[in-house]
Amino acid sequence: MDLEKKPEPEQQPQPQRQASPAESAPAEPDFADPQSSLRASDADRDRIADILRDALAEGRLDAEEHSDRIDAVYRAKTVGELEPIVRDLPGARPQQESAPAYAYGPDDAEGPADNLVAIFSSTTRKGRWRVSRRTNAFALFGNVEIDLTEAIFAQRLTTINATSIFGNVEVRVPENISLRGSGSGIFGNFEVVTLEGVDPQAPVVVINGYSVFGNVEARPKRGKWITDLQDRLRKHLGH
């Protein structure tokens, strides 16, 4: 006698356990966005820390939130990891800020150089001014200050030859250009903070020279950015 074979009950799929955030794989960096994949500098971390400090002082964050976010700031490796930390706070730069458009004037490699000399005195060049392709800065028992944060770059490469003898030469640049240097200090200090602009067409400032019982220093000025370089140059040239 044949027995009727009863169908076996269908097995219900077992619910899958969702991985916790700690077990999830870290997000891949967005290499299509050069700004987010750029390695974070000390200046980048300090800028974010300043925003958090202000938020704590204004009561937007409590002490515990501030502490957690500060820890995240100094663990961050890239700019893309820093920006979300302050995305909900005033003072944060827009995540999708468009890169500035750069336009330079005609190549004038043989043009005259600017000469800034301070002998037992002080010389300052700052504000809105057109930067020459070459600038010679000489300080003898004096001080030369060159501030490029509001300057108009009519060419991509700018070279500053700095000499300090018992004196001081200081150069300040915007944060979104490239800064390089080569020099030496003889019983003195020659310090150039290397900076690489995100935009490959951003201005490049090169500091060359030496100091003897003096100081030559070049570094970015926190919070200063070139955002309207093309318009500035066109207006300056009368186009």
Side-chain angles (χ1 to χ4, degrees):
M1 176 177 173
D2 294 333
L3 298 177
E4 183 179 358
K5 188 176 180 180
K6 296 182 179 180
E8 296 182 358
E10 295 182 0
Q11 294 183 352
Q12 298 296 325
Q14 296 295 323
Q16 295 182 352
R17 185 177 66 88
Q18 293 184 350
S20 65
E23 297 171 336
S24 301
E28 293 292 330
D30 183 7
F31 292 106
D33 182 1
Q35 175 68 24
S36 66
S37 60
L38 182 70
R39 297 286 291 188
S41 67
D42 288 341
D44 293 325
R45 295 185 181 90
D46 289 344
R47 176 174 60 85
I48 299 299
D50 287 345
I51 295 174
L52 294 175
R53 180 199 60 204
D54 293 342
L56 176 64
E58 295 169 357
R60 300 179 189 274
L61 297 176
D62 59 30
E64 183 178 357
E65 290 174 318
H66 177 265
S67 177
D68 291 342
R69 295 196 189 197
I70 284 291
D71 288 343
V73 167
Y74 291 102
R75 289 196 308 267
K77 300 298 183 183
T78 66
V79 174
E81 294 176 74
L82 286 173
E83 297 298 344
I85 298 174
V86 293
R87 185 176 295 164
D88 59 344
L89 298 174
R93 293 178 59 228
Q95 181 70 11
Q96 298 298 329
E97 181 179 4
S98 59
Y102 297 103
Y104 299 110
D107 192 352
D108 57 349
E110 302 301 323
D114 275 350
N115 295 304
L116 302 176
V117 179
I119 301 176
F120 291 95
S121 62
S122 177
T123 299
T124 301
R125 178 65 64 85
K126 63 181 180 179
R128 191 167 182 175
W129 57 291
R130 182 176 180 180
V131 182
S132 296
R133 182 173 298 276
R134 291 178 296 115
T135 297
N136 300 319
F138 178 77
L140 175 63
F141 291 98
N143 182 71
V144 176
E145 179 185 355
I146 303 174
D147 189 336
L148 301 174
T149 56
E150 297 182 16
I152 298 171
F153 292 86
Q155 65 284 323
R156 181 164 183 261
L157 176 62
T158 298
T159 302
I160 298 177
N161 299 312
T163 303
S164 173
I165 302 175
F166 291 96
N168 182 56
V169 176
E170 294 183 4
V171 181
R172 295 293 180 266
V173 302
E175 288 188 288
N176 58 337
I177 74 167
S178 294
L179 176 62
R180 301 164 190 166
S182 176
S184 58
I186 303 173
F187 296 103
N189 177 59
F190 184 95
E191 180 182 2
V192 176
V193 177
T194 301
L195 186 69
E196 289 298 329
V198 175
D199 192 313
Q201 295 302 315
V204 178
V205 176
V206 177
I207 313 295
N208 297 320
Y210 62 91
S211 66
V212 180
F213 291 98
N215 177 65
V216 174
E217 179 184 285
R219 62 179 60 250
K221 193 170 184 178
R222 188 186 303 171
K224 294 295 185 179
W225 300 76
I226 299 177
T227 56
D228 60 343
L229 180 60
Q230 186 177 42
D231 290 339
R232 287 186 184 185
L233 181 61
R234 285 176 176 174
K235 290 178 182 178
H236 187 82
L237 298 177
H239 295 321

